[in-house]
């Protein structure tokens, strides 16, 4: 049967009435890709996969949650949705609201949103409000507004977002036939790590899989789960996780503790390095925030923190085209972006000097 999105595939696992109109763009069903070249560099023979969520309709995992949150908003008769966003939530909200015929209001931090994401919110017809403040300030504002107006809040504090996102865990177990031993995620608001805990937990309860250990990695300049306290001025090149006051603080702590996991931090230089390695060694182009899970898993494998024979899944949260500026800066920093005269000699010189 033709694939038609997470709700149709996992309807029995989602709180939804039988006659609800489903708002879908065919989200989910993303590939689980084995990383052999990068894994070899750790000197271990773990089996390492990435779940490439950048291949969702708007280019990030947010589509799983937004599909379900907007479907529920329509079921409940809502006419508008609102969110604060570091970019991907606004792109997804704008697209799903357009499909449902709802108005989308999105608050974004001025100058701190990747170009691809801004282009998506604008072209899908969202009302885009830049605020002269960061994501955390925007979050406080949209909560206040949604509490006092007939507008549905579609940030990950909306539990339907997490129910939609838990389907990624279902897909992994359905694809492997078992749960991985470890699952690594980049953590910002910590909604997605919570959603995976719910997803694996629901399957585990039915005897379909064991519980994996959930490991969350953050950007070093925005790592409240690592320091144990909120960060007032988060800063990182990984704008998707430039968050100092995570909304799912307690839930994520519970997910970590219940599964025996941990949190760690990766600095911007290592984030960029891992983004480049994924692109150049594995053919997987992700945005900077998404490289954090893979950087964490490679580090923990090398350090022997996880056993060499483990099966590990890393969520790669968003597509690299979301943030073309960073990718182009990275490319230009290498010596392989050249301008030469249009002659055979000039081009031959380049090729001779650079064959592997
Ligand atoms: C939203 C997002 C994250 C963080 O997810 P949380 O649920 O907020 O922890 C990570 N990477 C990308 C690309 C995102 O869009």
């Amino acid at each position: 049967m033709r694939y038609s999105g997470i709700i149709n595939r996992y309807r029995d696992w989602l709180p939804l009435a039988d006659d609800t109109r489903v708002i879908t763009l065919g989200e989910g069903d993303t590939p689980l890709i084995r990383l052999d070249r990068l894994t070899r560099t750790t000197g271990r023979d773990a089996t390492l996969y990435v779940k490439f969520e950048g291949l969702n309709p708007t280019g990030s995992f947010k589509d799983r949650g937004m599909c379900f949150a907007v479907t529920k908003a329509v079921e409940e008769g809502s006419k508008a949705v609102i969110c604060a966003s570091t970019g991907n939530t606004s792109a997804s909200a704008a697209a799903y609201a357009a499909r449902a015929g709802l108005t989308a209001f999105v608050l974004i931090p001025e100058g701190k949103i990747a170009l691809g994401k801004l282009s998506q919110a604008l072209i899908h017809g969202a009302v885009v409000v830049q605020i002269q403040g960061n994501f955390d300030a925007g979050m406080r504002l949209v909560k206040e507004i949604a509490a006092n107006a007939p507008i549905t809040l579609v940030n990950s504090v909306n539990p339907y977002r997490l129910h939609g996102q838990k389907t990624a865990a279902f897909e992994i177990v359905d694809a492997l036939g078992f749960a991985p031993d470890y699952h690594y995620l980049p953590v910002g608001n910590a909604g997605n790590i919570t959603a995976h805990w719910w997803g694996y937990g629901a399957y585990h309860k039915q005897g379909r899989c064991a519980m994996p250990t959930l490991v969350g990695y953050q950007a070093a300049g925005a790592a409240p789960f690592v320091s144990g306290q909120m960060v007032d001025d988060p800063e990182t090149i990984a704008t998707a996780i430039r968050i100092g006051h995570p909304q799912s603080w307690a839930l994520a702590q519970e997910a970590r503790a219940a599964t025996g996991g941990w949190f760690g931090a990766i600095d911007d230089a290592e984030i960029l390095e891992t983004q480049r390695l994924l692109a150049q060694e594995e053919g997987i182009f992700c945005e900077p925030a998404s490289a954090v899970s893979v950087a964490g898993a490679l580090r923990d494998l090398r350090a022997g923190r996880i056993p060499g024979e483990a099966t590990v899944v890393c969520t790669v949260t968003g597509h690299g085209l979301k943030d073309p500026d960073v990718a182009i800066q990275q490319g230009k920093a290498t010596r392989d972006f050249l301008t030469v005269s249009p002659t055979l000699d000039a081009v031959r010189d380049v090729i001779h000097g650079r064959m592997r």
Side-chain angles (χ1 to χ4, degrees), residues 61-62 88 186-192 240-241 287 289-290 317-318:
F61 74 83
K62 299 295 198 301
N88 282 330
V187 170
N189 272 311
N192 210 27
I241 50 174
E287 64 173 288
S290 310
T317 45

Side-chain angles (χ1 to χ4, degrees), residues 122-147:
L122 291 169
I123 198 71
H124 287 303
V127 180
V128 177
V129 186
Q130 296 201 70
I131 59 162
Q132 292 161 329
N134 63 20
F135 168 86
D136 302 306
M139 194 64 220
R140 283 191 287 275
L141 291 168
V142 295
K143 275 180 163 172
E144 182 75 28
I145 287 167

Side-chain angles (χ1 to χ4, degrees), residues 26 43 48 95 100 113 138-139 145 154 169 182 187 278 298 300 302 313:
L48 185 60
I113 165 172
M139 194 64 220
I145 287 167
V154 292
Y182 296 84
V187 170
L278 271 169
L298 292 174
D300 288 342
R302 275 192 194 105
V313 172

Side-chain angles (χ1 to χ4, degrees), residues 3-14 16 22-30 51 53 56-57 61-69 71 96 160-171:
Y3 181 76
S4 56
I6 56 158
I7 295 180
N8 289 319
R9 180 154 182 208
Y10 291 112
R11 195 166 189 127
D12 293 348
W13 301 83
L14 296 166
L16 193 70
V22 173
I23 311 299
T24 178
L25 287 163
E27 59 294 313
D29 201 30
T30 54
K51 178 76 169 158
E53 290 288 279
N56 275 294
F61 74 83
K62 299 295 198 301
D63 292 339
R64 294 179 185 273
M66 206 55 73
C67 159
F68 197 51
T71 293
Y96 281 85
Y160 300 129
R161 278 278 309 277
L162 303 193
H163 280 292
Q165 286 166 214
K166 77 186 177 189
T167 59
F170 297 163
E171 287 178 13

Side-chain angles (χ1 to χ4, degrees), residues 1 16 28 31 53 67 71 73 82-83 113-114 119 141 150 166 175 214 257 266 271 277 291 298 306 332 335 340 343:
M1 207 177 70
L16 193 70
E53 290 288 279
C67 159
T71 293
I82 192 167
C83 63
I113 165 172
S119 76
L141 291 168
K166 77 186 177 189
L214 295 177
I266 308 286
I271 290 173
L277 282 173
L298 292 174
I306 55 181
K332 284 186 172 169
R335 25 175 228 119
V340 300
T343 64

